[in-house]
Amino acid sequence: MSAHKITYPVPGAVMKDAHVSGMPAYRSLVAEADADLGAYWGRLAREFVSWRTPFAKTLDVGSAPFFKWFEDGTLNASYNCLDRHVERGLGDKAAIVFEADDGQVNRVTYSDLLARTCRLANALKTRGVKKGDRVVIYMSMSVEGVVAMQACARIGATHSVVFGGFSAQSLRDRIAGAGAVVVITADEQLRGGKQLPLKAIVDEAIALGGCDSVKDVIVYRRTGGQIAWDALRDRWMHEETETQDDTCEPEWVGAEHPLFLLYTSGSTGKPKGVQHSTGGYLVHAAVSTSWTFDLKDEDVFWCTADIGWVTGHTYITYGPLSIGATQVVFEGVPTYPDAGRFWQMIQDHKVSVFYTAPTAIRSLIKATEANQAIHPGRYDLASLRILGSVGEPINPAAWEWYHEHVGGGRCPIVDTFWQTETGGHMITPLPGATPLVPGSCTLPFPGIAAAVVDETGNDVPNGQGGLLVVKRPWPGMIRNIWGDPERFKLSYFPPELQGYYLAGDGAIRDVETGYFTITGRIDDVLNVSGHRMGTMEIESALVSCTALVAEAAVVGRPDETTGETICAFVVLKGPRPTGDDARRIAAELRHWVAKEIGPIAKPKDIRFGDNLPKTRSGKIMRRLLRSIAKDEAITQDISTLENPAVLDQLMERN
Ligand code: PRX
C-alpha cells in the first residue's frame, strides 16, 4: 500500500498560464537537466541573470567538492536586482511595500530602492569598505536591512546578516569569525509594540573583545530610543548617506565571488559560516522564485521570514527583486495587535502569493480556536493564488487548515524543502505542475538530483527510509565553510557517500509516486519554530555557566506547535535541587542560555539529576534522554547503564 494518496490535482486556473505548466513541462525540464546539467543551468543563467561579461564555462567539477559555476562570467547582484528593472521602465513599480509594526505603510519603488542602495554603497566606500571586505548586518526587518544587503552586494563586500534575536555573545562570535570591518545596525527594533535593543547589543558584543577589525558601526535610527554613542566609531546612517550620490557604479565581480556568509548550526562545534557565491546563487534564487511561486508581473508576494535567516536572503532580498516582483516586507509579529494580522495584511495589500512557516500556521490555528474573530474566513483573502510553507515539516492537519481556511480550497501549497546550505529550493511542488499530497514536499526542483540512499551512498528502494543526498552539484549550493574547508568537506561530502552532498535529513519516497517526505534531521540539530539549533551549542552554553553547572545534555522533544522544544538535563556542581530551588535555578539557567546564544535557544524543560545516564564507557545515552523528555515508558535496553537510579530523578519535571 502506498503511504501517499494524491489528493489535490493542479487547479486548472493555476496550470493555465503557469511558468511551468503541467507535468509534461516539469518532466521535460528534468530531462533537459539530466541530458546536460551544465547546458541546462547555463540556459537559465542567461535567461534569468544579466552578465557583465558572459560566461563560457558552466560547471567545473574538477575541484570537487569545491564546485564552480559560471566561473569566468562577471556580474553584480545589486545591478540584477535593481538597475536592470529601472532600465526596462519599471522604475515606478513598487519593489517593497513595507508595513511597520504599528501598521504604517511605506511604498518603495525600484527607482527609490536603487537610489537608497547607491547612497549607502557610496557611504560604505567613503568609509573605506572595498570588494572582499565583510560587513555584519544586525538589523530589524526593514527596508534599510534590504538596502544594507544590496549596498554590500553593489560594492562587492560580503555581508553576513545576524538575526536580531541573537545575543551579544553570538553576535561577537560572528563578527570575529567573519573579520567584519563594519557593522550595520539600528538603534532599536519594534516588534509587537515593544522596543527591543540592537545597538546596545552591538556595543556589548564589541566590548567582549576580538572585534578589532570593526572600524565603523552604522546605525539606522528606527525608534529614536536612548543609546550609548562612541564618537570615534559610531555613525548615523542618515548622516552618512544624505550627502552621497544617488548613483554608484556596481563593482563587477566574478561569479564565484562570495556574496554572503550566513552562520548556521551544525551538529558539532560552533555555528559555521556558510559561504555562498554571487552568480550561481543568484541564478538559483531567480529561477526558483519564478517557478516555485509562479510569480508574474502583477503578483504581490509576501515572504514572512526575517532577513536574518536564509529564507529572508533568497526569498526577500535576492529572489523577488532579481525578477522585478512586488513584495511585502513586514516589521512585526503575526500576533500583534492580534492574531489576525497576517490575514489583515493579505487583505490590505492584496497579496497573491504568501510564504510562511508551519509554526506560524499552527500557532494561528490555536489562536483562532480561542478567538473566532480572527478566523481567516473573516477576511477577504480572494487575492491569494498560491501558498507556501518552509523551514520544517508541515503536518497534514496544518496543511489542510491552511489550504481550506487561508487558501479557500483553491490555492496550491508549495511545501518547499531546502536549507541554508542549498541557497534555494531543492524539493518542492511547482504550483502549475505538481499534484499535491499534504505532508510531502513532492518532487525535486528541475535540475536537482535529490535521492535517498543508505550509509554507503547506494539508493534505497522507494518506501524505505534513508539519508537524503544530492548526487550532482547545483548553482546555489554552499561553496565553503568560511575559513574551514576541511569541515566543509567532511560535513557535506563525507567520503563514504560517493561524493554526494549530505543534507543531514532523513527522507522516504513513496512507492508509487516517488514523492519525498522529509523525516527529520539525522544529526543533533534541532528545529524549534523553524529555527535551526545545535544541541551541542546549547550544551556548551549551559556548561559555560561554570558557577553552577557540571554537565549538561540537550535533546529535542516533539511539540505540536513549535515542531520541537528544547529539553535540557543538567547536573549541578552542588546538590541536586528540588521544588522551588529547582524552579529558581532552571529560570536562572534559561536566562543564562538566552544571554549566551539568544532567547530562541532557551530550554523549555530543564531537569536535574545527580548524574546523566551513561554507558560503562562513559557515553551519554541520548536515546534514553529523548524517551524521558517525551515522558515515554523506557523500552530501551538499560543493562549497560552505569547508574540506573538517575532515571527517576530525570523524569521529574520542574
Ligand atoms: O530539517 C530540514 C528543515 O530545516 C532544515 C534547514 O534549516 P535552515 O538551514 O535553517 O533553513 C530553513 C529554511 C530553508 C532542513 O535540514 N526543513 C526546511 N524546510 C523543510 C524542512 N523540513 C521538512 N520540510 C520542509 N519543507
Side-chain angles (χ1 to χ4, degrees), residues 264 309-311 355 389-394 415-421 427 441 503-505 518 520-521 527 530-532:
T264 191
W309 308 111
V310 75
T311 308
Y355 191 37
S389 170
V390 59
E392 43 176 330
I394 177 162
D415 173 3
T416 59
F417 169 84
W418 60 296
Q419 308 174 297
T420 305
E421 293 88 342
I427 308 180
C441 51
D505 283 283
I518 306 299
R521 297 288 305 193
N527 191 326
H531 297 151
R532 176 168 158 183

Side-chain angles (χ1 to χ4, degrees), residues 82-104:
L82 303 169
D83 308 57
R84 63 174 180 156
H85 308 310
V86 176
E87 287 166 12
R88 66 186 169 111
L90 295 181
D92 290 335
K93 180 174 179 176
I96 292 178
V97 178
F98 177 72
E99 182 162 320
D101 191 56
D102 66 4
Q104 266 204 39

